[in-house]
């Protein structure tokens, strides 16, 4: 397991690095390609352990949903609760019923009704990570984007309950509608209750630590990392929805952060950085895993259908599930009196990813037969691929283009260059000992990567061979750098009044503040 995790982490890191050099291709597709490559290299494929749904859900999905919950306002969930229930329950159930019947008919009953409904149930959950990957650089209407995010946060629980009910039908020949409804209510209400109780307990503990005189930053970070795993595990052990539990815990933590960010600013900032780091790594890992799974699925299960009388019905089933999903989502939004355009965007935005395939492996081949299981796995793989490919193409024509990552980087660099130029000019006009001035100018040029690797090693060798600055020189260096940072912030304040530059300016402003924070942290307090 350690080797497998290491391979996935390295693959996710490589994907992230490559994506920084190629802004035209979404990093999710780069991660997917790397996963496919790993699966085709025997030694690397052997190092990655077989897929386990439980490990994937608790190790990847739980922290991702927890972080997504933290980026969602609790008040917005309360205000949209009716719409959320409609999309995650009503739409999911109606879509599953429609799709199950049509898959059965489209395959001339070669796929039995219970198996068809099992397929449709697994196709219920959408994936927020996959949805974002198909519209990178494009501007989705705010209302549609919000609805898609809310749907992906909560509809996993519906899919799991539908899966359990239809699996019982497929294996035991019983369809217990009443029992499934009771199971859903218990899972949803129980999961929400556990998530809220866990969040309140942890929030109270964290806030108590934050309001003491002790430095609890490390403890707070450990608590943050462990929270989604603990909450999900407890929920599953109590047979309630772990998905809803971690989402609710994340939602409450969002509200906590907004009301306590200045109690311990350092901790709040560290929490934001840690959450972003985990989100980026886990997102890339999801698509690396998806790529590996797709290759293994087609390699291991495809042969079982070449020997049947209906070798292409898995393709038919996958296409039907996707088309019926599009139709149901579009009609639902029109029924809710949304515009044709918003309805179309919402229908295309229901992208499926690794979570869908994770639900597939909650079914065991022995339960429904190897051939039926292979049909199930392959058809869901077709669904996942279609749900990613179709909107990737369609959104290029339907959505307006925002600034690409490259264009944003160019604009940001232009502002940063001008900012640092002003700071350098200000420092050059100051009287400073030559050694101090050289050091300060080197640090300022580092903000815009003007120092070469040769410059770095030259400065490194000088600092290694000669004594460090005297206390008096260090004092002058600090004051010069702080003055330079003031000049930079003043420049950013001036241009921030131009609205179209606002996003870039605040990002750069944050970097300047961090630079000053690093300066103070490395040398201690400075008397004014």
């Amino acid at each position: 397991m350690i080797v497998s995790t290491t391979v996935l982490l390295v693959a996710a890191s490589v994907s992230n690095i490559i994506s920084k050099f190629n802004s035209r291709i979404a990093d999710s597709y780069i991660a997917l390609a790397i996963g496919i490559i790993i699966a085709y290299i025997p030694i690397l494929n052997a190092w990655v352990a077989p897929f386990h749904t439980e490990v994937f859900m608790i190790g990847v999905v739980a922290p991702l949903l927890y972080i997504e919950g933290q980026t969602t306002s609790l008040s917005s969930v309360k205000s949209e609760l009716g719409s959320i229930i409609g999309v995650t329950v009503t739409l999911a159930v109606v879509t599953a019923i429609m799709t199950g019947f049509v898959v059965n008919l489209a395959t001339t009953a070669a796929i039995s009704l219970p198996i068809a409904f099992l397929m449709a149930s697994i196709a219920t959950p959408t994936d927020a990570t996959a949805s974002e990957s198909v519209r990178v650089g494009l501007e989705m209407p705010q209302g549609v984007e919000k609805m898609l995010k809310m749907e992906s946060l909560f509809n996993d629980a519906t899919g799991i309950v539908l899966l359990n009910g239809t699996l019982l039908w497929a294996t035991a020949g019983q369809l217990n509608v009443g029992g499934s409804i009771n199971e859903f209510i218990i899972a949803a209400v129980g999961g929400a209750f556990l998530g809220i109780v866990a969040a309140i307990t942890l929030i109270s503990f964290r806030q108590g630590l934050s309001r003491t005189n002790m430095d609890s930053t490390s403890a707070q970070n450990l608590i943050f990392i462990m929270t989604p795993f603990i909450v999900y595990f407890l929920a599953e052990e109590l047979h309630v929805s772990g998905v809803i539990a971690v989402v609710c815990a994340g939602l409450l933590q969002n509200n906590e952060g907004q009301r306590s960010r200045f109690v311990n600013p350092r901790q709040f900032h560290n929490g934001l950085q840690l959450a972003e780091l985990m989100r980026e790594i886990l997102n890339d890992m999801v698509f690396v895993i998806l790529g590996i799974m797709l290759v293994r699925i087609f390699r291991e299960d495809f042969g079982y259908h070449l020997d049947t009388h209906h070798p292409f019905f898995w393709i038919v089933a996958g296409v039907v599930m996707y088309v019926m999903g599009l139709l149901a989502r579009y009609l639902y939004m029109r029924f809710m009196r949304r515009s044709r355009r918003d309805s179309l965007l919402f229908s295309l935005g229901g992208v499926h990813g690794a979570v869908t395939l994770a639900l597939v492996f909650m079914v065991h081949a022995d339960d429904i037969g190897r051939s039926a299981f292979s049909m199930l796995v392959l058809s869901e793989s077709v669904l996942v691929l279609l749900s990613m490919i179709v909107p990737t193409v369609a959104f290029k024509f339907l959505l307006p283009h925002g600034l690409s990552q490259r264009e944003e980087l160019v604009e940001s660099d232009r502002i940063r260059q001008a900012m640092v130029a002003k700071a350098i000019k200000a420092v050059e006009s100051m009287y400073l000992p030559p050694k101090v001035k050289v050091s300060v100018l080197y640090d300022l040029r580092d903000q815009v990567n003007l120092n070469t690797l040769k410059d770095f090693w030259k400065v490194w060798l000088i600092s290694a061979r000669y004594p460090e600055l005297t206390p008096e020189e260090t004092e002058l260096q600090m004051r010069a750098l702080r003055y330079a940072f003031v000049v930079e912030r003043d420049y950013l304040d001036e241009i921030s009044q131009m609205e179209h530059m606002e996003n870039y300016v605040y990002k750069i402003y944050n970097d300047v503040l961090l630079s000053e924070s690093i300066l103070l942290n490395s040398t201690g307090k400075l008397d004014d």
Side-chain angles (χ1 to χ4, degrees):
M1 185 60 70
I2 294 176
V3 173
S4 180
T5 303
T6 302
V7 171
L8 294 176
L9 286 172
V10 171
S13 301
V14 171
S15 166
N16 192 271
I17 293 171
I18 294 175
S19 68
K20 303 304 180 186
F21 291 95
N22 191 340
S23 59
R24 295 183 179 182
I25 303 176
D27 55 354
S28 301
Y29 285 107
I30 295 174
L32 182 68
I34 289 177
I36 292 172
I37 293 171
I38 289 174
Y40 275 111
I41 299 176
I43 188 171
L44 293 179
N45 185 51
W47 284 347
V48 179
F51 182 82
H52 293 285
T53 298
E54 296 81 2
V55 174
F56 179 74
M57 293 297 289
I58 194 171
V60 178
V61 175
L64 265 179
L65 289 175
Y66 179 65
I67 294 169
E68 289 294 336
Q70 286 185 322
T71 61
T72 306
S73 169
L74 181 60
S75 60
S76 67
V77 172
K78 290 169 62 179
S79 64
E80 299 288 339
L81 188 58
S83 298
I84 294 172
I85 293 174
V87 170
T88 58
V89 180
T90 306
L91 175 60
V93 172
V94 171
T95 303
I97 293 172
M98 290 172 52
T99 303
F101 281 116
V102 176
V103 167
N104 177 256
L105 292 173
T107 58
T108 61
I111 297 179
S112 66
L113 201 57
I115 298 298
F117 269 80
L118 181 60
M119 289 179 174
S121 300
I122 292 172
T124 299
T126 54
D127 193 322
T129 302
S131 180
E132 291 177 4
S133 70
V134 303
R135 47 189 169 87
V136 172
L138 304 172
E139 297 179 357
M140 178 72 79
Q142 187 174 0
V144 178
E145 184 172 9
K146 184 177 181 180
M147 186 72 74
L148 288 170
K149 182 175 182 179
M150 296 297 182
E151 178 189 28
S152 62
L153 279 176
F154 293 99
N155 67 356
D156 291 358
T158 305
I160 292 172
V161 172
L162 289 174
L163 166 62
N164 291 335
T166 53
L167 182 59
L168 179 63
W169 184 15
T171 56
Q174 299 177 355
L175 181 60
N176 188 351
V177 177
S180 296
I181 294 175
N182 289 334
E183 180 186 352
F184 176 78
I185 293 173
I186 293 172
V189 174
F193 179 77
L194 177 63
I196 292 170
V197 170
I200 291 174
T201 302
L202 290 169
I203 288 171
S204 299
F205 181 69
R206 284 195 300 265
Q207 289 301 305
L209 281 178
S210 297
R211 284 164 169 76
T212 62
N213 293 326
M214 60 181 289
D215 182 6
S216 60
T217 301
S218 298
Q220 295 270 27
N221 288 336
L222 287 173
I223 293 172
F224 171 80
I225 293 172
M226 295 303 298
T227 295
F229 305 112
I230 294 172
V231 171
Y232 187 91
F233 176 78
L234 287 176
E236 292 298 314
E237 286 295 305
L238 295 173
H239 304 291
V240 296
S241 174
V243 169
I244 291 180
V246 294
V247 169
C248 289
L251 287 171
L252 266 67
Q253 179 143 334
N254 170 275
N255 203 47
E256 175 202 8
Q258 294 302 315
R259 297 277 62 86
S260 62
R261 53 187 173 174
F262 298 127
V263 172
N264 189 338
R266 190 187 304 274
Q267 171 56 41
F268 183 78
H269 178 263
N270 287 344
L272 291 178
Q273 297 303 307
L274 184 59
E276 183 59 29
L277 174 64
M278 290 178 63
R279 184 176 186 274
E280 203 164 302
I281 291 175
L282 292 172
N283 279 342
D284 288 336
M285 281 186 65
V286 165
F287 284 92
V288 171
I289 292 170
L290 179 59
I292 295 172
M293 289 174 65
L294 288 173
V295 172
R296 288 180 175 180
I297 284 169
F298 282 97
R299 179 187 292 158
E300 297 170 7
D301 293 278
F302 187 76
Y304 285 90
H305 290 282
L306 297 180
D307 299 330
T308 68
H309 298 294
H310 311 290
F312 301 110
F313 275 174
W314 57 275
I315 299 178
V316 174
V319 172
V320 167
M321 285 192 292
Y322 182 62
V323 172
M324 290 304 299
L326 287 179
L327 180 62
R329 296 170 66 84
Y330 179 84
L331 292 177
Y332 178 82
M333 292 297 282
R334 292 295 291 154
F335 178 77
M336 299 301 293
R337 299 184 179 180
R338 298 297 182 98
S339 67
R340 289 187 177 89
R341 184 172 185 274
D342 283 357
S343 300
L344 178 60
L345 293 175
F346 178 77
S347 63
L348 289 168
V351 183
H352 303 274
V355 173
T356 298
L357 294 183
L359 295 189
V360 169
F361 289 96
M362 291 180 68
V363 181
H364 298 287
D366 295 338
D367 294 335
I368 60 175
R370 182 67 204 190
S371 181
F373 179 75
S374 296
M375 179 79 76
L376 175 70
V377 172
L378 291 171
S379 62
E380 299 293 349
S381 300
V382 171
L383 169 69
V384 169
L385 291 173
L386 284 175
S387 73
M388 293 183 65
I389 295 171
V390 173
T392 298
V393 176
F395 283 159
K396 299 290 185 184
F397 302 96
L398 295 173
L399 295 176
H401 289 258
L403 288 178
S404 68
Q405 292 180 359
R406 184 176 297 277
E407 291 170 329
E408 184 176 339
L409 183 61
V410 169
E411 182 68 11
S412 178
D413 282 346
R414 184 187 67 79
I415 297 173
R416 196 183 295 269
Q417 293 276 359
M419 174 193 76
V420 173
K422 283 189 172 292
I424 289 175
K425 184 178 180 180
V427 171
E428 286 178 337
S429 66
M430 298 174 63
Y431 170 75
L432 292 170
K435 186 164 58 171
V436 174
K437 181 171 287 190
V438 168
S439 176
V440 171
L441 292 177
Y442 176 88
D443 288 338
L444 292 176
R445 286 197 299 269
D446 249 1
Q447 291 180 293
V448 285
N449 292 324
L450 291 178
N451 297 315
T452 64
L453 185 61
K454 181 180 178 181
D455 294 331
F456 166 78
W457 283 114
K458 181 180 178 180
V459 172
W460 184 89
L461 286 171
I462 291 174
S463 64
R465 293 172 58 185
Y466 298 103
E468 296 180 356
L469 298 177
T470 65
E472 292 77 13
E473 290 173 334
T474 300
E475 174 89 5
L476 289 173
Q477 179 193 46
M478 285 189 61
R479 290 192 178 277
L481 282 171
R482 291 184 69 194
Y483 175 67
F485 292 146
V486 170
V487 172
E488 291 179 348
R489 293 202 306 271
D490 288 343
Y491 172 75
L492 295 175
D493 283 333
E494 180 182 337
I495 67 169
S496 65
Q497 299 175 34
M498 301 173 63
E499 186 175 349
H500 66 282
M501 290 185 178
E502 190 170 303
N503 290 335
Y504 312 121
V505 172
Y506 289 147
K507 289 179 182 178
I508 300 171
Y509 202 108
N510 185 49
D511 288 343
V512 175
L513 291 175
L514 284 174
S515 297
E516 188 165 5
S517 175
I518 291 170
L519 175 68
L520 295 175
N521 284 339
S522 61
T523 52
K525 288 187 176 181
L526 183 66
D527 295 329
D528 292 325

